[in-house]
Amino acid sequence: MAPTTTSALPLLSPAELSYLHTSLSLSPPIRSDGRLPTQFRPLSAEADILPGTNGSARVCFADGTEAIVGVKAEVEKSRLRGGSGDGLDGGEDEDEKDKRSGENSWVELSIEIPGLRDDDALSVFLAAMLNEALVADGELARRLWINSRWHWRVFVDILLLSPPLSYPLPLLSLTTHLALLSTRLPRLKSELDEDPLFDDDWEASEYLYLRTAEHIRPSTSSHKASSKVTPSSPLQFHHRSSKPPITLLVMSVGSNILFDPTREELAVAEAVFAVSVAENPSSSPAPDSAASRTLRLLSIRTIDPPSRLTSSGVPNSLNTATGGTAPSSAAQAVTLREMSRSKKEGQGVWMPPRGGVKRALVGRIVELVLKRGGVVEDVLQGLEAVDVG
């Protein structure tokens, strides 16, 4: 379970927490900012803002929380694998190709949050969740493969410019998504397993992720002398709709499911999930159209809700000011509060959530995330509107 942070906990009284929890429990829920359950907060975004990087992006949420991501790439020699051979055998099978497709260790991700140490639990878990989503399907690692002897190593540096006013996972994920979309690598001029030689012209560089068509270097093992790819040979294209994954924050209150919760909403959340989603590669002629986009679930994690750290209210039966009887011990107070949860007298009194999550609720969240024309497609369409060069 990923940790939360006390800075994300607003200073609300038990009466205010009870009012907010009751509003979010209605059908339909009433959110404090008037949004629909599946509606995201407005944000501003731009890409290619850092000239000294291979790719960069900046995203600012409506609450003022802002993040910048820079991507750097360097060539690194691959470790030789036992029995891999020199990779020049024309009879190499498909299983052998998969073995040299890429490694997750080629991607390094770090997060810096103002006011927190680099080894703080929040920074470590945020980096682990984002890195897990990036390498889950192996698509990014495959794109970093140069030949059997060399590969690209990518460093993703994330900087949160302002203290986190809410759980910053969605902000960091969307910024990383845009930064990887804008990442460009020099065009390769060498052939087969030669030492990599790149084109000095940056205008000829290739995007790590393309929106419509991608330059594909045919597999070196399947080439013959008459079909070698040279710098002057025509480029080969094929459509791929695969893009960097995104991670969304989802919370539940009663039977209601809310996307992109605010700090105040997280204070009364009964369960919080981090859901990572990516697009499936497609060979359709229009991979970016909403009709052809298909999504797949990469991971889902539970996050310890900050509502567990809030103070509970006191029902009238335990309040001496209203004629109630005060408990004689702390253990008796806890027992009486738990008993009042299911009674009418406990309604309207805020009590921190206890217990786990039902499988049916997790299934509903996955269904809403992967739903065609749902919230994930809306977010991806909004990110596609950002100019990445």
Side-chain angles (χ1 to χ4, degrees):
M1 177 178 290
T4 183
T5 172
T6 55
S7 62
L9 189 64
L11 299 178
L12 298 177
S13 65
E16 293 171 320
L17 293 172
S18 175
Y19 176 81
L20 184 58
H21 182 270
T22 302
S23 301
L24 297 178
S25 302
L26 299 176
S27 181
I30 301 177
R31 307 183 72 169
S32 58
D33 51 8
R35 289 183 293 145
L36 298 176
T38 58
Q39 186 177 358
F40 260 66
R41 290 171 289 178
L43 58 88
S44 60
E46 58 180 336
D48 291 327
I49 61 172
L50 302 177
T53 60
N54 292 81
S56 60
R58 181 190 70 90
V59 173
C60 182
F61 272 7
D63 60 1
T65 309
E66 185 177 1
I68 289 181
V69 174
V71 179
K72 291 286 290 184
E74 64 180 27
V75 177
E76 187 177 68
K77 195 168 186 177
S78 303
R79 294 177 297 177
L80 295 180
R81 304 178 185 176
S84 61
D86 56 5
L88 299 178
D89 185 10
E92 186 181 27
D93 55 11
E94 292 296 331
D95 294 338
E96 197 67 26
K97 293 178 184 179
D98 294 339
K99 290 181 182 179
R100 59 189 186 90
S101 59
E103 298 180 5
N104 295 341
S105 60
W106 297 352
V107 181
E108 293 189 12
L109 188 145
S110 62
I111 298 179
E112 182 176 348
I113 300 178
L116 298 182
R117 293 164 50 98
D118 293 340
D119 58 352
D120 186 84
L122 179 62
S123 302
V124 172
F125 272 88
L126 286 175
M129 284 188 286
L130 292 177
N131 189 76
E132 177 188 47
L134 287 178
V135 302
D137 58 352
E139 179 65 26
L140 178 57
R142 283 192 292 270
R143 294 171 183 266
L144 301 179
W145 185 85
I146 298 177
N147 55 40
S148 61
R149 300 173 55 238
W150 300 90
H151 65 269
W152 289 103
R153 177 176 289 273
V154 169
F155 301 89
V156 182
D157 298 321
I158 304 175
L159 173 61
L160 191 64
L161 296 182
S162 57
L165 302 179
S166 60
Y167 205 72
L169 180 61
L171 171 65
L172 305 183
S173 175
L174 298 183
T175 313
T176 304
H177 177 94
L178 286 177
L180 289 175
L181 279 182
S182 65
T183 299
R184 302 169 68 175
L185 300 177
R187 186 174 66 89
L188 185 66
K189 298 174 61 176
S190 57
E191 304 173 11
L192 301 178
D193 284 342
E194 299 175 348
D195 289 349
L197 177 64
F198 300 98
D199 195 334
D200 294 334
D201 186 6
W202 185 248
E203 295 298 328
S205 61
E206 302 174 354
Y207 282 99
L208 184 61
Y209 288 89
L210 290 190
R211 301 195 174 196
T212 54
E214 181 180 11
H215 296 60
I216 298 298
R217 297 189 301 273
S219 176
T220 57
S221 61
S222 62
H223 289 171
K224 296 182 180 179
S226 61
S227 61
K228 290 182 179 179
V229 177
T230 62
S232 59
S233 62
L235 294 174
Q236 299 186 8
F237 296 87
H238 79 149
H239 293 287
R240 296 178 67 92
S241 62
S242 179
K243 292 184 177 64
I246 61 173
T247 302
L248 307 180
L249 201 63
V250 188
M251 62 168 278
S252 66
V253 175
S255 60
N256 295 329
I257 298 175
L258 307 176
F259 285 80
D260 189 28
T262 62
R263 185 174 69 161
E264 291 74 20
E265 292 172 342
L266 286 174
V268 296
E270 298 178 3
V272 184
F273 300 89
V275 185
S276 299
V277 187
E279 292 186 56
N280 279 322
S282 174
S283 58
S284 62
D288 291 326
S289 62
S292 63
R293 179 183 285 122
T294 56
L295 305 173
R296 66 184 184 278
L297 181 68
L298 297 179
S299 65
I300 179 169
R301 285 178 174 265
T302 57
I303 296 177
D304 191 15
S307 55
R308 300 181 187 273
L309 304 177
T310 58
S311 301
S312 60
V314 181
N316 291 334
S317 59
L318 303 179
N319 190 356
T320 56
T322 58
T325 303
S328 58
S329 63
Q332 183 182 11
V334 173
T335 302
L336 294 176
R337 286 196 181 97
E338 294 296 331
M339 292 177 57
S340 65
R341 285 179 180 268
S342 58
K343 296 182 180 180
K344 186 176 181 180
E345 64 179 8
Q347 296 180 359
V349 179
W350 167 249
M351 294 185 181
R354 299 288 186 269
V357 181
K358 296 183 178 180
R359 293 184 178 180
L361 177 63
V362 179
R364 289 178 53 209
I365 292 177
V366 173
E367 182 180 357
L368 287 176
V369 168
L370 301 180
K371 179 181 178 182
R372 185 179 296 275
V375 58
V376 176
E377 288 194 0
D378 292 340
V379 174
L380 291 176
Q381 290 178 4
L383 294 176
E384 288 171 359
V386 180
D387 184 14
V388 295

